[in-house]
Amino acid sequence: MSELMDTIVLWPSLLAVLLIFGIAPGTVLRLLVLLYPRDDARRRELIAELYTIPRLERPLWVCEQLETALFEGLSNRIRSRRTRRAESAENRAISKREALKQRQESQVTVGALLIRHGLTVRDGRPGRHRPPTRSYRLSRSSRLGQLLDEVVIEKGHARGTVHEKAS
Amino acid sequence: MDNPAGKHWGYELSKLSGVRSGVMYPLLSRMLSAGWLVDGWEEETATGGKRPPRRYYKITDEGRLQLGAALQAASHDARFQGLNWRFV
């Protein structure tokens, strides 16, 4: 009977010891370092330090790291997230400004645009050569409509020169 | 400390100084950003492939001046009497 009791007491204790001094410190530490930002060197540093610490000290040391990760890691993460958001907003504003500037500065020749759309210029106005079929005619006319929405033909200007509408 | 100008690890520094690691790591971060320390990573060959390379810290000339002055001031302060001054 006493042998049986010993066995029951021994196995859970052994498992607990294995868990606390074996698997748990590494697992818990790896979860804790996730609180740090992804590019933070402290993540790698703490995991590397764990393996130089004597096994008996590891559980306590990992508990201490909870404090560090909560106060240092979380604040770093929040700070880096704020910085990233501010940077991306700034980049968006810059690219918007540049796109607008390019749109305002760009000059597109009617010839180039019409050739791209498969159309020709006749008397300063975009036109087309006899379409072979009705469906071809319809598709071309809708494309021409789109094109005319996009560009403003300057009257009296050299034939074939348009400016994009500054929206 | 045998070689204050050499490479030291966070855990080792915490053991030598008697400062808890929860306090030591944020301190090291602040000293790094102040330029008092420089950091780097242990060579892979030094670990023998048995564990990941550790991050080391080395004191800079600026750090030696600043920390020397700070320690000098703190050595007379009653609040820091519990620290292990052999570390210095």
Side-chain angles (χ1 to χ4, degrees):
Chain A
M1 184 67 184
S2 66
E3 280 177 17
L4 184 66
M5 283 299 288
D6 284 346
T7 315
I8 291 166
V9 170
L10 186 69
W11 278 106
S13 313
L14 185 67
L15 277 175
V17 167
L18 277 176
L19 195 74
I20 293 167
F21 295 99
I23 308 160
T27 313
V28 172
L29 187 67
R30 276 176 171 80
L31 290 173
L32 283 180
V33 295
L34 294 178
L35 287 172
Y36 285 93
R38 198 166 289 188
D39 53 347
D40 200 316
R42 189 77 76 214
R43 278 191 176 194
R44 273 176 67 200
E45 181 185 9
L46 291 179
I47 291 168
E49 293 261 322
L50 178 71
Y51 296 101
T52 59
I53 296 166
R55 274 193 185 276
L56 285 176
E57 288 179 32
R58 282 183 195 177
L60 207 63
W61 186 81
V62 169
C63 290
E64 279 183 20
Q65 299 323 304
L66 174 65
E67 176 195 347
T68 320
L70 275 176
F71 289 95
E72 197 190 25
L74 263 185
S75 65
N76 283 359
R77 178 175 274 269
I78 291 165
R79 202 177 306 132
S80 72
R81 184 172 288 181
R82 276 186 194 154
T83 315
R84 263 204 316 273
R85 275 189 189 162
E87 275 175 6
S88 63
E90 196 178 332
N91 287 342
R92 270 202 305 274
I94 288 170
S95 58
K96 218 174 181 179
R97 269 203 304 274
E98 280 181 0
L100 189 66
K101 199 178 163 189
Q102 277 179 1
R103 253 177 111 178
Q104 284 169 347
E105 284 175 357
S106 71
Q107 282 195 336
V108 185
T109 62
V110 164
L113 268 173
L114 295 182
I115 286 165
R116 200 170 71 205
H117 286 264
L119 300 163
T120 58
V121 181
R122 192 180 294 162
D123 301 330
R125 289 181 174 219
R128 55 179 164 69
H129 288 301
R130 298 172 193 117
T133 60
R134 185 178 159 73
S135 62
Y136 178 89
R137 208 163 48 233
L138 283 171
S139 72
R140 287 294 166 185
S141 61
S142 65
R143 285 175 76 178
L144 177 64
Q146 280 175 5
L147 183 65
L148 288 173
D149 284 343
E150 287 173 9
V151 299
V152 176
I153 301 169
E154 287 188 353
K155 284 181 182 172
H157 201 268
R159 184 197 278 189
T161 305
V162 296
H163 293 275
E164 282 190 31
K165 248 182 205 171
S167 58
Chain B
M1 187 181 276
D2 296 334
N3 182 19
K7 295 174 181 176
H8 299 283
W9 332 108
Y11 175 71
E12 178 204 6
L13 289 171
S14 132
K15 274 277 159 191
L16 285 169
S17 62
V19 175
R20 284 189 308 117
S21 61
V23 178
M24 178 57 80
Y25 288 112
L27 261 179
L28 290 171
S29 292
R30 269 184 271 163
M31 288 184 197
L32 266 176
S33 54
W36 295 4
L37 299 176
V38 285
D39 66 335
W41 293 91
E42 206 176 10
E43 299 274 328
E44 288 277 353
T45 50
T47 64
K50 289 178 182 174
R51 56 173 174 77
R54 286 178 295 177
R55 187 186 189 186
Y56 67 76
Y57 298 92
K58 264 178 90 172
I59 195 164
T60 60
D61 292 337
E62 167 73 9
R64 197 170 294 131
L65 280 173
Q66 298 286 349
L67 284 171
L71 288 171
Q72 189 65 34
S75 62
H76 305 297
D77 196 321
R79 290 177 298 165
F80 303 111
Q81 292 307 308
L83 287 179
N84 184 0
W85 290 103
R86 280 181 300 147
F87 170 65
V88 187

